[in-house]
Amino acid sequence: MSEASQRVPLPERLDLPAAAPLREALLGHAGSPVVIDASSCESIGTPGLQVLLAAAKSWREAGAELSVDSLSQECEAQLALFGLSPGDLCSKEPAE
């Protein structure tokens, strides 16, 4: 990566009250490399998931890097209930 990635932390509960602040934080870094720090997150609700999916799409379309770091097994299980994987929250598919 040529630019340093900005880190955006997720709250413990990524629910409706946390979705708008996350959206604003991500918009502040639009088009720049971003690492979403999920180390404190224990629960992802639908509104937060919508923000993360929209960000992944926007970063993908802009050709910028967006990735998620330290996603818990609980959050991965919640994603699976929606038919998603951690890679769906990133701007690029992980290399196989």
Side-chain angles (χ1 to χ4, degrees):
M1 226 180 321
S2 59
E3 296 180 56
S5 294
Q6 298 295 316
R7 292 188 76 80
V8 175
L10 294 183
E12 185 176 324
R13 294 183 51 82
L14 186 51
D15 52 10
L16 182 58
L22 174 61
R23 179 182 177 274
E24 293 305 314
L26 288 169
L27 284 174
H29 301 295
S32 300
V34 172
V35 175
I36 296 173
D37 180 358
S39 60
S40 297
C41 190
E42 296 177 4
S43 176
I44 299 177
T46 305
L49 181 57
Q50 289 173 324
V51 170
L52 293 173
L53 290 171
K57 181 177 187 258
S58 294
W59 262 251
R60 197 175 301 118
E61 289 173 352
E65 186 171 343
L66 178 77
S67 61
V68 178
D69 186 35
S70 302
L71 192 65
S72 70
Q73 289 181 338
E74 292 83 6
C75 288
E76 285 191 36
Q78 291 168 354
L79 289 177
L81 291 174
F82 290 101
L84 300 169
S85 71
D88 293 314
L89 305 180
C90 301
S91 62
K92 297 179 182 178
E93 288 297 317
E96 293 184 28

